[in-house]
């Protein structure tokens, strides 16, 4: 049997210290048919020159400006030919054999379109990392959470999520994608710029009948916050804005209206709490996200019928805050579709 060609794409912008720290591990990846690509978003810190000098085997794609995560990856995907594409954040360190379980999982079933590894913290390597942990789900209002991470509650990896299960979404921090499936679903939505774009892509893939899953034998180590800190108001803005647009794109008009008004009331309550506690930047970022999402949502035509639905039938926010469901294993399996 022929070995599938794998293209690993790392998008970077003015992050030379991070690239120096993590790229050498990627260069040591073991796979017999491998293309490594660094897509540089017009960095001015010498990233491109350093990569050319230190790793001439890595293909360098220079973008003319900062196209952020979505377009930066899309343009690189269009210029490569791998059977599988791996989107990898520039702040992820990998062991040499990290790719093998991902490809093996994808090769086990042609309906599998996306696979992620376990994503663990760079410094505390027994702890799950915020950006994906052991695979993600959406609740009925579109809030994302993951096995090993609910909001800011992170778990230690004790093998409790070593099963390979179907997911709602896989993390863009380290994401293997089947190119033939992308030909059906399309690439990352470039209006999103960054954050939530991989969740939207996974939703579209699921609607087409593809599966999203995890290969728990693969582990990678994510520094996190290299682009935006987890508590950054700007990151909150992107997450909320893009979440609303994602709901508009993937739900029928009727289903979206029901979800939107519930989200609006819930997010308004959160923003008011932040404002009364003096957290002005976060409260205003949330309101701005709604303001800017409104014209963006008008550019999409909702589907006649909702496709794949979020797996978790309840509100993860209510369950986490009010019912004190702190970790994924606290959730009732019967509440998942």
């Amino acid at each position: 049997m022929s070995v599938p060609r794998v293209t690993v794409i790392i998008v970077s912008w003015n992050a030379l210290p991070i690239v120096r720290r993590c790229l050498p591990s990627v260069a040591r990846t073991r796979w017999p048919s491998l293309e490594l690509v660094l897509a540089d978003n017009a960095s001015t810190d010498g990233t491109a020159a350093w990569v050319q000098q230190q790793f001439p085997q890595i293909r360098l794609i220079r973008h003319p400006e900062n196209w952020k995560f979505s377009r930066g990856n899309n343009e690189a995907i269009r210029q490569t030919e791998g059977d599988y594409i791996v989107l990898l954040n520039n702040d992820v360190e990998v062991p040499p054999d990290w790719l093998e379980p991902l490809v093996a999982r994808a090769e086990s079933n042609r309906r599998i379109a996306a696979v992620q590894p376990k994503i663990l913290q760079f410094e505390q390597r027994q702890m799950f990392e915020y950006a994906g942990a052991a695979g993600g789900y959406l609740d009925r209002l579109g809030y994302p959470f993951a096995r090993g991470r609910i909001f800011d509650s992170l778990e230690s990896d004790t093998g409790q999520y070593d099963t390979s299960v179907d997911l709602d979404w896989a993390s863009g921090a380290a994401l293997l994608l089947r190119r033939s499936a992308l030909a059906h679903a399309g690439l990352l939505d470039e209006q999103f710029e960054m954050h939530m774009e991989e969740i939207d892509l996974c939703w579209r893939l699921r609607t087409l009948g593809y599966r999203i899953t995890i290969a728990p034998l693969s582990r990678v180590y994510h520094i996190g916050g290299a682009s935006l800190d987890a508590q950054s108001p700007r990151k909150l803005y992107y997450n909320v804005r893009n979440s609303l647009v994602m709901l508009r794109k993937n739900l029928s008009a009727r289903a979206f209206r029901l979800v939107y008004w519930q989200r609006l009331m819930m997010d308004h309550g959160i923003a008011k709490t932040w404002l009364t506690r003096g957290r002005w930047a976060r409260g205003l970022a949330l309101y701005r996200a709604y303001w800017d999402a409104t014209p963006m949502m008008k550019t999409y035509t909702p589907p006649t019928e909702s496709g794949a639905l979020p797996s978790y039938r309840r509100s993860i926010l209510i369950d986490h805050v009010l019912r004190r469901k702190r970790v994924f294993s606290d959730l009732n399996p019967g509440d998942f579709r």
Side-chain angles (χ1 to χ4, degrees), residues 61-314:
I61 295 178
R62 297 177 187 244
H63 296 325
E65 57 187 279
N66 183 6
W67 283 338
K68 297 190 171 66
F69 187 85
S70 294
R71 187 175 178 186
N73 274 299
N74 285 353
E75 292 292 341
I77 291 171
R78 294 183 183 109
Q79 295 182 46
T80 57
E81 299 180 351
D83 302 299
Y84 293 107
I85 305 295
V86 179
L87 309 184
L88 188 68
N89 279 12
N90 61 5
D91 59 345
V92 173
E93 182 180 278
V94 299
D97 60 352
W98 70 287
L99 202 52
E100 297 169 19
L102 298 176
V103 178
R105 186 73 183 105
E107 288 284 283
S108 70
N109 189 314
R110 293 192 61 82
R111 300 310 296 174
I112 293 175
V115 189
Q116 75 158 71
K118 278 187 181 178
I119 302 176
L120 302 166
Q121 294 182 26
F122 188 88
E123 298 293 346
Q124 301 182 67
R125 300 201 168 198
Q126 80 285 0
M127 295 290 295
F128 284 111
E129 211 278 325
Y130 183 90
Y137 295 95
L138 293 171
D139 78 349
R140 62 183 179 83
L141 299 181
Y143 288 106
F145 61 100
R147 299 193 305 166
R149 191 273 291 178
I150 298 180
F151 295 106
D152 293 333
S153 295
L154 296 164
E155 298 180 51
S156 295
D157 176 19
T158 60
Q160 71 273 44
Y161 304 122
D162 279 355
T163 52
S164 183
V165 298
D166 282 2
L167 307 166
D168 284 353
W169 57 272
S171 172
L175 175 59
L176 180 139
L177 295 163
R178 185 183 299 273
R179 184 182 289 273
S180 60
L182 295 179
H184 294 161
L187 301 180
L188 300 169
D189 189 324
E190 295 180 8
Q191 281 209 88
F192 282 37
E193 298 182 308
M194 57 183 182
H195 299 300
M196 302 292 292
E197 63 281 282
E198 82 272 39
I199 302 181
D200 169 67
L201 173 59
C202 288
W203 196 334
R204 287 184 276 128
L205 287 165
R206 290 176 61 236
T207 294
L208 291 171
Y210 289 103
R211 294 170 57 192
I212 316 299
T213 189
I214 180 171
L217 291 178
S218 176
R219 293 170 171 81
V220 303
Y221 305 96
H222 188 209
I223 295 175
S227 299
L228 290 175
D229 183 80
Q231 297 302 314
S232 163
R234 188 162 172 246
K235 183 168 187 172
L236 171 70
Y237 163 80
Y238 276 115
N239 280 334
V240 174
R241 185 197 72 174
N242 293 345
S243 174
L244 295 171
V245 175
M246 176 181 69
L247 291 167
R248 178 68 167 80
K249 289 178 61 179
N250 294 286
L251 293 175
S252 68
R254 180 178 179 277
F256 172 74
R257 284 193 297 270
L258 292 172
V259 168
Y260 179 82
W261 290 111
Q262 293 177 71
R263 273 288 299 266
L264 178 62
M265 289 187 291
M266 196 166 286
D267 286 342
H268 175 62
I270 294 170
K272 282 182 63 178
T273 299
W274 282 334
L275 293 174
T276 58
R277 294 179 179 177
R279 302 180 71 182
W280 288 88
R282 290 185 69 78
L284 294 176
L286 200 155
Y287 283 132
R288 181 173 163 243
Y290 270 81
W291 180 268
D292 289 351
T294 301
M296 287 178 65
M297 290 189 289
K298 292 178 180 178
T299 66
Y300 298 94
T301 301
T304 305
E305 296 182 2
S306 299
L309 293 173
S311 289
Y312 194 58
R313 304 171 192 268
R314 299 177 55 87

